[in-house]
Amino acid sequence: MTAQLPRDAQSPDAQPRDAQSRDAQPRDAQQRRDRLRHSLEEPLPVESNLTVLRRKLNELKRCGYRIRSEWLGGETGGSCEIAGVRWLFLDLSRSIDEQLEQVEDALRECRR
C-alpha cells in the first residue's frame, strides 16, 4: 500500500510553505527599498528664514521671554533681564538672518 500525498502536494508546481514565504520576502524587501528610494528623490520642504524666525520666537516665549520688536538702527538689541523679567529686544533694522542670530543667542541662554 502506498501513502497518498495531500492534494496540494501532488501538483508539480507545489512548493513547501516555507519556500513560498522565502520567495515573497525578497520581493517585499525590494518594494520597501523602491519606496524608500522614491521618497528620498522627492525634494524636502525647505523652511524660509522668516518661518524659522517665527518658530524660534515662539520657542523663546515658551521659555519665559518677552519679545519687543523695535527699529533700533543696528546699534543695539539682544536679550536682557529687567526687574526679573527676561526680554529680547529684536532689532527690525537688521536682516532676518541677523535677527535669527539674536533669537538663537537668547535661546542658548535660556537652555543653560
Side-chain angles (χ1 to χ4, degrees):
M1 198 169 200
T2 61
Q4 284 220 321
L5 296 173
R7 179 174 221 105
D8 60 340
Q10 292 176 3
S11 65
D13 56 4
Q15 296 179 1
R17 288 192 187 273
D18 291 340
Q20 289 174 351
S21 64
R22 280 193 305 262
D23 291 343
Q25 287 174 353
R27 277 181 275 158
D28 291 342
Q30 181 62 40
Q31 288 172 345
R32 284 193 303 272
R33 282 192 298 270
D34 288 344
R35 280 195 302 263
L36 179 61
R37 188 180 75 243
H38 290 303
S39 68
L40 292 174
E41 290 171 357
E42 295 173 5
L44 295 173
V46 177
E47 279 187 306
S48 71
N49 285 352
L50 183 58
T51 304
V52 173
L53 178 63
R54 287 179 180 154
R55 184 171 43 81
K56 291 194 179 212
L57 281 170
N58 286 329
E59 185 178 339
L60 199 58
K61 286 177 185 176
R62 286 191 302 272
C63 199
Y65 274 81
R66 292 193 182 170
I67 314 294
R68 181 138 182 190
S69 300
E70 297 285 337
W71 186 273
L72 301 171
E75 296 298 319
T76 188
S79 63
C80 65
E81 189 170 323
I82 301 171
V85 179
R86 294 187 287 185
W87 285 90
L88 174 72
F89 291 92
L90 192 62
D91 188 352
L92 296 179
S93 68
R94 294 182 178 224
S95 70
I96 296 294
D97 290 334
E98 291 170 324
Q99 291 178 34
L100 189 55
E101 190 175 313
Q102 285 181 321
V103 173
E104 288 172 342
D105 288 343
L107 279 171
R108 276 192 288 278
E109 289 178 23
C110 179
R111 292 177 182 146
R112 288 183 195 173

